[in-house]
C-alpha cells in the first residue's frame, strides 16, 4: 500500500501545489492497463528529472456532463479511482472539476493556464487518443507541437492490446455487461471491484442457510446479472464468498441488489463498507420453482466459487491510501 498520496483540487491554494511536477493526464476510469502505461511513462519521466509525478483527472466524468440524461456505467467512482491511482507510485492526483466553465475552456487556455500557469508542469504523459479543451480540439499532437516553446517534455503512449484488441474502458464495460470477468480482469490488470455499505435486506438468505451482506451498487451499474465468485475486503481483511447480483426472480424481481455470502464467516456486517472484487462468473441468474431446488443450486454455486477462488488465491485490486 502506498501512502503519502496527495489530492489537489480547484480549491487548493497555488502555494500548496508542487511546481515542476510531471503529470499523467486522462479520465482514468478503471485505471486499466492502457492508463497504467501512461502512468508508468510519467513515473519514468519524473524519475529521470528528479520530479514528483501526479495524475491529472476530471470529475465528474466529462461524459456525464455532456450527456446527463444517459446512463453512465462508471468502472470506478471518484474515491476508488483515487485509491487505485494511489497504489501506482504516483505522488498524488490533481482532480479538476469538469463543469460548464472547464468544458468551454479552449485547449490553448487549458495548456497555458491550467497546466503551465497553475500546476507549473515540467512534463506530461497522455494516451494516443486523449483529447481535451472546447470541442475536444486538444490532442497529443497539439501537446507535442507546443512542447518546445513551453519547455516541457511530452510522452504519448500507444494503445495497449490484449489478444489484438485495444484495451479501453468501454471494452471493459462491455465485458462486465456480458459476464466476461476473465477478459475484464485481464484488461484492468486485476479484478474489477465495487464498494458499498451493507444494508438490511429481506433476510431470506438467513432462512435458507445462506445469510448475505446486501449492497446497493450504483443505479447505472451494468454488470451482468448472475452469480459470481468474489473476494471481499473489509479494511485489510480479505474474505472469500459467492455473490448474486440481480433482481431475485424467484422471490420479488425487484431492484438490482448485490447479495454476498461469505464463506466461514460469522458476525454482524450491517453498516460496514466492503470492497467486493469479482473473481469469476459462475452462472446466469435463474428463477427456481421451489426453495429446495434453489438451495441445491446455491450449494453447487458455493462449491464452484470456492474452486475459482482457490485458483486465484491472491486476486484482489491493489489499493492505496488517500491523504
Amino acid at each position: 500500500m502506498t501512502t503519502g498520496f496527495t489530492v489537489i483540487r480547484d480549491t487548493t491554494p497555488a502555494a500548496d501545489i508542487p511546481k515542476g511536477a510531471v503529470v499523467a493526464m486522462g479520465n482514468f476510469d478503471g485505471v486499466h492497463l492502457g492508463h497504467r502505461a501512461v502512468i508508468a511513462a510519467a513515473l519514468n519521466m519524473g524519475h529521470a528529472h528528479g520530479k514528483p509525478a501526479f495524475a491529472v483527472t476530471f470529475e465528474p466524468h466529462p461524459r456525464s456532463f455532456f450527456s446527463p440524461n444517459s446512463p453512465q456505467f462508471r468502472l470506478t467512482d471518484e474515491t476508488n479511482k483515487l485509491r487505485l491511482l494511489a497504489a501506482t507510485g504516483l505522488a498524488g492526483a490533481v482532480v479538476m472539476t469538469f463543469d460548464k466553465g472547464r468544458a468551454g475552456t479552449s485547449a490553448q487556455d487549458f495548456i497555458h493556464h491550467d497546466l503551465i500557469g497553475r500546476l507549473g508542469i515540467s512534463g506530461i504523459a497522455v494516451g494516443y487518443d486523449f483529447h481535451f479543451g472546447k470541442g475536444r480540439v486538444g490532442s497529443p499532437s497539439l501537446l507535442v507541437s507546443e512542447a518546445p516553446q513551453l519547455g516541457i517534455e511530452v510522452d504519448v503512449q500507444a494503445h495497449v492490446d490484449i489478444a489484438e484488441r485495444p484495451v479501453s474502458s468501454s471494452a471493459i464495460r462491455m465485458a462486465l455487461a456480458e459476464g466476461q470477468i476473465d477478459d475484464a480482469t485481464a484488461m484492468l490488470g486485476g479484478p474489477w471491484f465495487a464498494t458499498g455499505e451493507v444494508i438490511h435486506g429481506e433476510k431470506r438468505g438467513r432462512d435458507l442457510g445462506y445469510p448475505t451482506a446486501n449492497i446497493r451498487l450504483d443505479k447505472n451499474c451494468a454488470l451482468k446479472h448472475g452469480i459470481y465468485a468474489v473476494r471481499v475486503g473489509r479494511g485489510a481483511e480479505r474474505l472469500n464468498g459467492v455473490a448474486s447480483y440481480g433482481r431475485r426472480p424467484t422471490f420479488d424481481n425487484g431492484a438490482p441488489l448485490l447479495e454476498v455470502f461469505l464463506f466461514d464467516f460469522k458476525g454482524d456486517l450491517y453498516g460496514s463498507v466492503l470492497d467486493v472484487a469479482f473473481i469469476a462468473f459462475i452462472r446466469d441468474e435463474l428463477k427456481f420453482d421451489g426453495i429446495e431446488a434453489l438451495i441445491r443450486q446455491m450449494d453447487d454455486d458455493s462449491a464452484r466459487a470456492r474452486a475459482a477462488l482457490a485458483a486465484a488465491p491472491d486476486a484482489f485490486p491493489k489499493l492505496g491510501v488517500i491523504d
Side-chain angles (χ1 to χ4, degrees):
M1 246 181 222
T2 303
T3 59
F5 185 84
T6 302
V7 178
I8 297 168
R9 300 186 182 274
D10 293 348
T11 55
T12 301
D16 294 340
I17 299 174
K19 297 301 189 288
V22 170
V23 298
M25 187 165 68
N27 291 316
F28 298 121
D29 188 24
V31 194
H32 57 59
L33 292 184
H35 298 146
R36 291 174 187 273
V38 175
I39 292 166
L43 288 168
N44 290 336
M45 192 187 302
H47 180 73
H49 298 293
K51 300 292 186 180
F54 285 74
V56 170
T57 190
F58 305 87
E59 288 292 338
H61 194 293
R63 192 174 59 247
S64 299
F65 174 83
F66 289 116
S67 303
N69 297 319
S70 299
Q72 307 291 347
F73 175 24
R74 287 190 55 165
L75 299 175
T76 44
D77 61 17
E78 179 181 346
T79 298
N80 282 342
K81 176 169 67 173
L82 291 174
R83 293 170 75 198
L84 287 166
L85 289 172
T88 63
L90 290 168
V94 180
V95 180
M96 296 186 175
T97 302
F98 199 89
D99 53 15
K100 185 177 180 180
R102 184 145 275 130
T105 300
S106 71
Q108 289 284 357
D109 282 349
F110 180 79
I111 293 171
H112 289 273
H113 178 267
D114 292 296
L115 296 181
I116 303 300
R118 178 165 165 78
L119 298 180
I121 69 169
S122 61
I124 184 170
V126 293
Y128 72 102
D129 60 348
F130 185 76
H131 289 79
F132 59 94
K134 184 178 180 180
R136 290 170 54 83
V137 171
S139 65
S141 60
L142 176 63
L143 289 169
V144 170
S145 67
E146 292 279 314
Q149 68 185 62
L150 296 173
I152 64 172
E153 183 176 349
V154 176
D155 186 302
V156 180
Q157 287 292 302
H159 54 77
V160 173
D161 294 345
I162 293 180
E164 300 183 351
R165 291 191 307 164
V167 172
S168 69
S169 297
S170 58
I172 295 167
R173 293 186 197 101
M174 185 177 297
L176 292 172
E178 295 174 353
Q180 296 173 351
I181 296 299
D182 289 346
D183 287 350
T185 299
M187 289 187 281
L188 286 165
W192 180 72
F193 75 107
T195 302
E197 181 179 342
V198 178
I199 61 174
H200 288 273
E202 298 296 328
K203 299 180 173 58
R204 296 191 189 99
R206 184 181 302 174
D207 296 333
L208 300 173
Y210 282 90
T212 58
N214 303 318
I215 297 172
R216 291 265 182 223
L217 300 187
D218 184 270
K219 65 179 181 179
N220 294 322
C221 178
L223 177 69
K224 181 180 177 68
H225 291 183
I227 310 302
Y228 295 86
V230 296
R231 181 160 289 125
V232 174
R234 184 174 62 162
E237 186 180 14
R238 300 290 177 260
L239 303 163
N240 290 336
V242 62
S244 167
Y245 180 62
R247 297 183 179 276
R248 305 161 305 285
T250 301
F251 297 104
D252 59 8
N253 208 36
L257 182 68
L258 178 64
E259 301 173 282
V260 182
F261 171 67
L262 297 173
F263 302 139
D264 312 313
F265 176 83
K266 292 183 179 179
D268 184 357
L269 290 172
Y270 292 119
S272 298
V273 175
L274 304 180
D275 295 316
V276 182
F278 293 78
I279 308 303
F281 181 76
I282 304 298
R283 64 170 175 85
D284 290 346
E285 186 175 44
L286 300 171
K287 182 176 181 178
F288 294 87
D289 294 331
I291 297 302
E292 290 185 1
L294 172 59
I295 292 175
R296 284 196 299 272
Q297 184 62 62
M298 292 167 73
D299 291 342
D300 182 68
D301 295 340
S302 295
R304 294 175 63 187
R306 284 182 184 271
L309 291 162
D314 300 318
F316 198 78
K318 186 178 180 182
L319 303 172
V321 177
I322 306 167
D323 283 355

